[in-house]
Amino acid sequence: EAGVTQSPRYAVLQEGQAVSFWCDPISGHDTLYWYQQPRDQGPQLLVYFRDEAVIDNSQLPSDRFSAVRPKGTNSTLKIQSAKQGDTATYLCASRSLGSAETLYFGSGTRLTVL
Amino acid sequence: GEKVEQHESTLSVREGDSAVINCTYTDTASSYFPWYKQEAGKSLHFVIDIRSNVDRKQSQRLIVLLDKKAKRFSLHITATQPEDSAIYFCAASSNNNAGAKLTFGGGTRLTVRP
């Protein structure tokens, strides 16, 4: 069984540039999460979906961040105008609501904003 | 919202000794407490969890204790081995119909010295 796939692995931007992160969850997993993990900190939830619906995006900086999961499978997280404070690893995780509560994490995208 | 705090940011033990990592949480509605491990250069993966209907759970060399009154839980790793060296994250969630929303602690970097 393939795991959670994320791309790109790394991104380096200047402030003000836009960037998109892509996530392909484990097949059949209906719940998908995006976490932001600053260096030497724990993951912080940005947004999560059940199928194509946003369940909670209260921690997503809505003026610059957006996330979609249009068909309830793959998901894209976009930063419209990056700031240095966005420097972090962006983790995607998925789980199957009907089974165990374990989250399966991807390898992450390490973003550096100069 | 829920806040999870890990009290030890770093921990160093000698191989064969036990390691204990402590966490506290704030939301009395939290009922699910997993632990995740992040090895160098890799993403997080699940190691063990405990639910609020029990106060102790063991899986091989891992023991999790839960004290609901104190809103505290801990991970005990017995007979530590070099491969236990990693960052450990505790988390908490109050399950709801839309799936678990995990709040993570800041992480504890465990080093097992030979």
Side-chain angles (χ1 to χ4, degrees):
Chain A
E1 179 184 75
V4 177
T5 305
Q6 290 187 248
S7 64
R9 288 297 308 273
Y10 304 93
V12 180
L13 309 174
Q14 298 289 334
E15 272 200 324
Q17 288 186 306
V19 63
S20 291
F21 310 131
W22 181 81
C23 175
D24 186 6
I26 291 174
S27 177
H29 280 193
D30 47 18
T31 308
L32 184 147
Y33 303 80
W34 284 103
Y35 281 87
Q36 180 191 61
Q37 185 179 21
R39 187 176 177 84
D40 295 330
Q41 295 184 35
Q44 298 157 16
L45 182 68
L46 291 173
V47 58
Y48 78 105
F49 298 85
R50 181 180 177 188
D51 299 321
E52 67 278 5
V54 174
I55 303 302
D56 187 336
N57 62 358
S58 59
Q59 302 304 309
L60 195 68
S62 57
D63 57 333
R64 297 185 301 108
F65 284 64
S66 62
V68 294
R69 192 185 185 202
K71 297 182 180 178
T73 52
N74 301 337
S75 177
T76 303
L77 175 69
K78 182 173 183 178
I79 306 176
Q80 196 70 13
S81 178
K83 298 182 178 180
Q84 288 188 351
D86 300 331
T87 294
T89 297
Y90 290 82
L91 297 170
C92 178
S94 70
R95 66 179 284 254
S96 176
L97 185 60
S99 64
E101 294 181 67
T102 303
L103 297 191
Y104 294 85
F105 283 86
S107 299
T109 296
R110 185 176 296 179
L111 173 67
T112 302
V113 183
L114 302 174
Chain B
E2 173 70 279
K3 287 185 170 43
V4 178
E5 191 172 333
Q6 277 182 252
H7 299 270
E8 302 87 6
S9 58
T10 61
L11 181 61
S12 180
V13 300
R14 189 172 296 174
E15 184 177 354
D17 288 349
S18 293
V20 182
I21 302 171
N22 296 288
C23 289
T24 54
Y25 62 98
T26 58
D27 189 352
T28 53
S30 287
S31 58
Y32 175 66
F33 306 92
W35 289 83
Y36 284 78
K37 177 181 181 182
Q38 187 172 34
E39 295 168 83
K42 298 185 178 180
S43 194
L44 285 79
H45 70 266
F46 171 84
V47 288
I48 191 169
D49 60 12
I50 190 167
R51 296 180 189 280
S52 58
N53 59 339
V54 297
D55 55 19
R56 185 182 190 277
K57 182 175 180 178
Q58 182 166 0
S59 174
Q60 298 182 319
R61 295 186 297 109
L62 303 178
I63 302 168
V64 182
L65 303 178
L66 173 63
D67 181 344
K68 291 189 292 291
K69 276 189 178 176
K71 287 189 276 190
R72 182 173 57 214
F73 59 113
S74 57
L75 173 67
H76 299 245
I77 307 174
T78 62
T80 53
Q81 300 170 1
E83 54 265 36
D84 295 327
S85 294
I87 302 174
Y88 290 82
F89 294 95
C90 60
S93 83
S94 55
N95 205 354
N96 57 54
N97 289 335
K101 173 182 168 180
L102 283 180
T103 301
F104 284 87
T108 298
R109 183 182 298 273
L110 173 65
T111 303
V112 179
R113 309 186 310 271

